[in-house]
């Protein structure tokens, strides 16, 4: 059984999907900023020393780097939707781990949670490519707009450096 979609239906789904991904980018960016800032303060409070303040950002970055390839492989094998959902669930586990470490006042657990939460950063970056795949048939332009944070906010003057050769 084959479903035939009209061009209007395809465009409506595309617009809705891009809107959801754009909202995810905004919320993910806010979350990433809060994680780095508040994570440092939390580590200092739980550990009782300023010497570990930079470890929140370090663990978050390591977590993003470690999870980027497994999420990409999952996206390739099972699709982006499964990969994005899995990454979100893992990031939630990171938040719960941070909460547990804070309640137990055990800073190594908080740092572990920061690393697991780094999956959210990898997820946020991966969702940009999902949005570019949907944005138009000019994928190079879509990538340049999303990566520069200018999608639908500020038009780029002239041609972009990633425009497709005709």
């Amino acid at each position: 059984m084959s479903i035939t979609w009209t061009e209007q239906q395809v465009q409506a789904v595309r617009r809705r999907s891009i809107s959801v991904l754009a909202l995810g980018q905004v919320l993910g960016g806010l979350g990433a900023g809060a994680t780095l800032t508040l994570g440092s303060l939390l580590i200092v409070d739980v550990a009782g020393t300023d010497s570990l303040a930079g470890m929140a950002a370090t663990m978050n970055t390591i977590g993003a780097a470690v999870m980027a390839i497994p999420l990409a492989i999952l996206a390739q094998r099972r699709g982006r939707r499964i990969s994005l959902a899995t990454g979100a669930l893992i990031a939630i586990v990171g938040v719960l781990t941070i909460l547990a470490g804070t309640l137990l006042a055990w800073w190594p657990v908080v740092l572990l949670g920061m690393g697991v939460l780094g999956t959210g950063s990898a997820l946020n970056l991966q969702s940009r490519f999902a949005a570019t795949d949907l944005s138009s048939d000019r994928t190079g332009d879509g990538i340049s707009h999303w990566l520069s944070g200018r999608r639908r906010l500020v038009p780029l003057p002239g041609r972009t450096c990633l425009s497709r050769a005709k």
Side-chain angles (χ1 to χ4, degrees), residues 125-139:
L125 294 170
Q126 189 182 69
S127 70
R128 293 179 186 187
F129 291 98
T132 60
D133 285 349
L134 294 171
S135 64
S136 71
D137 25 341
R138 293 174 35 184
T139 304

